[in-house]
Every structure is written in C-alpha cells, then in structure tokens.
Amino acid sequence: MVNSSYRVLNELETIQYVRKIPGLFSENAQLVCKEIGDGNLNLVFRIIEQGSSGKSIIIKQALPYARVVGESWPLTLDRARIESEALMIQNILCPGLVPKVYHYDRELALTIMEDLSTHIIMRKGLITRKRYPQFAKHIGIFLARTLLLSSDLAQDSQIKKLKVIQFINPEMCKITENLVFTDPYYDAKTNQFNPFIKDLIKEIWGHDELILEITKLKEKFLTQAQALIHGDLHTGSIMLTEKDTKVIDPEFSFYGPMGFDIGAILANLLLNYCSHEGHTLDRDDRLQYQDYLLDTVEEIWTVFEEEFKTLWQEKAMECYASKQGYIDDYLLRLLQDTCGYAGCKMMRRVIGLAHVPDLESIEDHKLRAKCERLALAIGQQLVLKRETARKISDLTSLVRTIKRQEVEED
Ligand SMILES: Nc1ncnc2c1ncn2[C@@H]1O[C@H](COP(=O)(O)OP(=O)(O)OP(=O)(O)O)[C@@H](O)[C@H]1O
Ligand SMILES: [Mg+2]
C-alpha cells in the first residue's frame, strides 16, 4: 500500500526537499543534483554543494515497484524503512563499516546517507583484478559483529523476538525464496541462461539429490531466525577503497540464517574467480589472481571466526557460554551452512533471473559457458558436500580440485 503523501521525487524536488532538512546544507548553498542509481530497484540521487565545501550526500528513494521492470512488478515501500533501520543498527554494531544515515522519511520512503563516491563498487574492482588488502579483515569483522550481536547468543531472547518483528520483511524474502531457492531448479519462465550450457542445466533440474539439499537450505532460510542478516551481501553491495570498506543496501534485511550472508559474499568472490577463466587469458595473471581470491575467502572466515570467538568471550549469554563445546559446534554448523548457501548463490547467478556482471561482461558466449560450467560445478559440490566441511580450507581445496577437473590448464 502506498501512503497518500508518497510521491516520486525528481532531481529538482530532491534539492528542494533536502534544503528543508536542518543540519545538512547552509541556507544559500548552491546545490546540484543527479540521479545516479544503476540498481534494479530504487532511485539514488547525489547532491553536491558547489564551491569550496564540496559537501555531498546521497538520497535513496524506494519506488512502489521494481525500477528495472516498472509498475507491473509492485514492491513494498517498507523496504526503505528496513534499509534505514538496518543501517542504523549496523552503524552501532560496527561503526565505520556502513554509510552514516543522516535522515529517514517514512512517508517518502527515502533515506539520506553519507556519500561514498570516493569508493568503488567492489565487483567492478574485482573484474579488473584489483586487490583490496583490508577487505577480508573488514568484512570478517562486519559479519561477526552484525551476526553474533543481533542473535540470541548475545541478547535476551524476548528483546531479540521484538527485533524479529521489527525486521519482518515478507515481500523481499519472497523474492529471494523464488529467485535463489525455487526458480533455478526447474524450467521457470524467470530463468535466463546461456544456451551453450543448457545440457548441464537440464542435468541440474533432474538431479534429485541436489534438489533435496536445496530444499533443506530453503526451509532453513525461511524458518531460522538466527540473526539480523543483510540478506543481499554480494560484491555489488560493497563500496571500498584499498583502506576502507562500506556495506550498503540492506533492504533485504531480516532475521535469517547467518550462513546466508557469509555464503553470499564467498559465492560472489568465487563467481569472480570463475569469470577470470574468460577475462584473464594470461595464465600467470589468472592463476595469481585466483589464488588471491581463495586466500581472501580463507582470510574472511579466519577473521570472522576469531572475532566471533572474542565477542563470544565478552558477550555470550550465560546459558550458552557455560556449555562446554557449544561455540565449536555452533561455528561448525555455520561453516557448513556457509558452504551450502554459497553454492545456492553461485548457481542462481548462472541459471536464474539476475546474473552478475563478472560473467555477463564476457561477450564470447562459448568462453562464458566455460566459466559458467565451472561455477555450476563448484556450486553443486558446495551444496552436496557441505556437511563434510570441517575447516575453511576444505572449501578452498574443493574449489581447487573442481577447477583441475573442469578446466584444463595448458
Ligand atoms: N552511499 C552511497 N554513496 C555513493 N554511491 C552510492 C551510495 N549508495 C548507492 N550508491 C550508488 O548507487 C548504486 C545503486 O545503489 P543500491 O545498490 O543501494 O541501489 P538498489 O536500487 O537497491 O540496487 P540493487 O538492484 O542492487 O538492489 C550503487 O551501485 C552505487 O553506485
Ligand atoms: Mg538494493
């Protein structure tokens, strides 16, 4: 339902709007506004003050429909509330790792936030083989802090249940249910894939054991209110420099399984890993960058685990903290969930509706098919073998083994 005072802003109206918000710009400031959104769902405006101050802000406004499709795909405006409230909580749990929120307007479904134009979308950097030495540390800490501190492990269960209500996000969850866990596993109309891999996709549709495991992961996604997860933590939701990392766009946030967020980030690194079979034809450059990506995967988990254990020591509720072996069991289950969700996230980006530019930008469809086959092979094995994982190097070894089998190195 769109409330009566909601309206879609244009660039001029956005300037008029921010002038009325105290504390942002001085009265006589000369402001220039441009809509810069490149995403699927929302409008994103940047306003820059002319002159020496160079001050700038971002205004993100939700539309009552999905931007890429139009009015035929209506979508809740409540996602703007979820996004701004999640950003505010994440800012408290891990200051500096998300953009600051300056203002939220429920009626207009918009959030005014810190401008990160000095940062780039991580996916773009990875496609051109950039390295980000601080990223693994930052994202490992982001994951440990946002996940553990929002869970039952570190707060009273009654307070946590109220937060589950605050972040109930059924329409956005439904999109994930369909696009990640349902549609890619049958001949759904929404699927879009490279015709050169149709044989493999048909095999997947007929792979009963795989589909059973996907169904278990789907049910866990629907029912396990474990922590306040970001819900869409791919490399397009991360803006960074060599020194700084910011996580943006938590409009899919809700109380779900922790492994879904960790798996999403690892899956997107692995999709990029596969894409370099097409992008980076120089063998040494390719192998070095792929090693860097797998090292990053391992470091993310290592930092995550370390920070998780430290927080556990400091914050875990007595009923969990006092139980011998509980933390190790918890982390093992998380590692296995992470493998499973990483696998789902890889496969859906090859078979389903929304693809990743890492693979899409390979223009030669036959060459792209080689990368996509590798991604599907890794994705399937991550799902099927997730319960055999004991440590993060089990995941990276699996990736290395599959690559040796799938891609003949000359
Ligand atoms: N705080 C920010 N500072 C600078 N640029 C930003 C900021 N937030 C978003 N952007 C830019 O706007 C683009 C779209 O933002 P975002 O991903 O939040 O929108 P969306 O409509 O929710 O997209 P999606 O389809 O990924 O859900 C980003 O890729 C980035 O280029
Ligand atoms: Mg978004």
Side-chain angles (χ1 to χ4, degrees):
M1 269 283 286
V2 178
N3 63 55
S4 57
S5 39
Y6 174 84
R7 64 192 196 284
V8 177
L9 298 183
N10 61 29
E11 291 171 349
L12 191 63
E13 289 161 342
T14 307
I15 292 182
Q16 289 161 351
Y17 177 81
V18 302
R19 281 194 190 285
K20 294 192 197 126
I21 309 293
L24 289 178
F25 295 104
S26 62
E27 221 175 284
N28 305 320
Q30 274 194 14
L31 302 179
V32 175
C33 178
K34 194 167 164 24
E35 206 277 319
I36 57 157
D38 59 1
N40 295 321
L41 303 183
N42 306 290
L43 296 175
V44 178
F45 299 94
R46 174 179 294 132
I47 294 190
I48 305 181
E49 179 172 358
Q50 300 299 284
S52 56
S53 95
K55 199 173 164 189
S56 60
I57 54 169
I58 293 289
I59 296 99
K60 180 167 173 179
Q61 184 178 36
L63 295 165
Y65 49 85
R67 175 187 179 142
V68 273
V69 179
E71 296 186 27
S72 62
W73 185 356
L75 205 54
T76 176
L77 290 176
D78 196 44
R79 68 188 192 271
R81 176 189 67 80
I82 297 272
E83 175 163 348
S84 68
E85 292 180 4
L87 283 175
M88 287 189 253
I89 289 178
Q90 290 160 351
N91 245 314
I92 294 168
L93 299 181
C94 40
L97 291 175
V98 295
K100 289 192 194 81
V101 173
Y102 301 133
H103 179 77
Y104 165 63
D105 184 324
R106 189 168 192 145
E107 303 278 295
L108 291 180
L110 68 76
T111 303
I112 305 183
M113 69 182 101
E114 183 181 351
D115 182 13
L116 304 169
S117 7
T118 49
H119 295 49
I120 74 159
I121 289 286
M122 184 176 194
R123 195 186 291 292
K124 293 185 183 165
L126 295 181
I127 294 172
T128 57
R129 295 200 310 281
K130 294 268 175 345
R131 293 173 188 230
Y132 297 100
Q134 299 300 317
F135 169 71
K137 195 172 94 203
H138 290 158
I139 204 74
I141 288 174
F142 174 87
L143 289 164
R145 296 192 68 85
T146 57
L147 299 177
L148 184 139
L149 297 175
S150 65
S151 74
D152 285 288
L153 297 178
Q155 64 189 328
D156 177 80
S157 67
Q158 300 302 293
I159 294 173
K160 182 245 170 171
K161 282 189 171 59
L162 293 175
K163 292 195 188 144
V164 175
I165 297 171
Q166 180 189 348
F167 283 97
I168 205 85
N169 197 359
E171 276 191 47
M172 302 304 275
C173 285
K174 184 70 181 155
I175 295 175
T176 307
E177 286 160 35
N178 290 345
L179 295 188
V180 178
F181 296 106
T182 310
D183 296 358
Y185 302 101
Y186 77 102
D187 192 5
K189 281 205 190 81
T190 54
N191 290 333
Q192 278 176 15
F193 50 80
N194 184 349
F196 286 107
I197 56 166
K198 179 129 195 202
D199 57 319
L200 178 54
I201 291 177
K202 278 187 161 170
E203 253 179 51
I204 288 176
W205 290 340
H207 194 328
D208 293 340
E209 191 195 344
L210 177 72
I211 289 174
L212 174 64
E213 295 309 316
I214 298 281
T215 308
K216 292 181 195 169
L217 287 158
K218 175 178 174 173
E219 196 238 15
K220 189 174 248 189
F221 176 81
L222 267 82
T223 57
Q224 190 179 21
Q226 192 176 20
L228 181 62
I229 67 171
H230 177 284
D232 196 21
L233 194 54
H234 55 84
T235 45
S237 295
I238 291 166
M239 297 188 73
L240 79 187
T241 64
E242 282 189 7
K243 294 190 183 134
D244 189 47
T245 304
K246 298 267 195 275
V247 176
I248 64 167
D249 198 16
E251 63 190 326
F252 283 82
S253 224
F254 78 112
Y255 265 80
M258 296 180 181
F260 189 77
D261 270 3
I262 316 169
I265 193 72
L266 301 194
N268 278 270
L269 294 173
L270 294 177
L271 286 164
N272 184 265
Y273 172 100
C274 299
S275 77
H276 285 290
E277 294 300 325
H279 286 302
T280 306
L281 301 180
D282 181 275
R283 184 174 183 273
D284 288 344
D285 288 348
R286 180 174 65 250
L287 295 183
Q288 278 171 22
Y289 197 69
Q290 288 175 327
D291 279 345
Y292 158 73
L293 291 169
L294 293 190
D295 289 347
T296 304
V297 165
E298 290 188 2
E299 195 187 343
I300 290 172
W301 180 267
T302 306
V303 172
F304 168 76
E305 193 174 47
E306 229 173 66
E307 180 76 5
F308 201 92
K309 284 181 173 165
T310 306
L311 288 169
W312 171 275
Q313 297 286 341
E314 292 168 9
K315 312 263 184 188
M317 303 293 284
E318 166 61 20
C319 59
Y320 302 108
S322 59
K323 304 296 179 297
Q324 178 88 27
Y326 191 72
I327 174 83
D328 293 331
D329 177 72
Y330 199 98
L331 281 164
L332 180 61
R333 284 186 279 131
L334 271 190
L335 177 68
Q336 295 176 351
D337 285 357
T338 296
C339 291
Y341 286 119
C344 297
K345 290 288 225 171
M346 289 185 79
M347 286 189 276
R348 75 91 157 207
R349 293 294 194 179
V350 176
I351 308 174
L353 177 68
H355 287 217
V356 287
D358 313 51
L359 291 165
E360 289 308 282
S361 58
I362 302 166
E363 278 166 23
D364 176 342
H365 285 210
K366 274 197 177 152
L367 185 58
R368 193 203 299 165
K370 180 180 169 189
C371 307
E372 292 171 327
R373 284 179 188 279
L374 177 60
L376 290 179
I378 295 171
Q380 287 182 76
Q381 291 306 314
L382 285 175
V383 169
L384 291 168
K385 300 223 169 94
R386 68 189 187 285
E387 286 174 3
T388 64
R390 291 285 171 278
K391 50 193 186 311
I392 190 63
S393 57
D394 293 340
L395 184 158
T396 49
S397 304
L398 185 71
V399 172
R400 286 199 167 91
T401 306
I402 297 168
K403 181 156 85 79
R404 270 197 303 275
Q405 290 162 355
E406 292 285 318
V407 182
E408 277 177 45
E409 290 293 351
D410 29 79

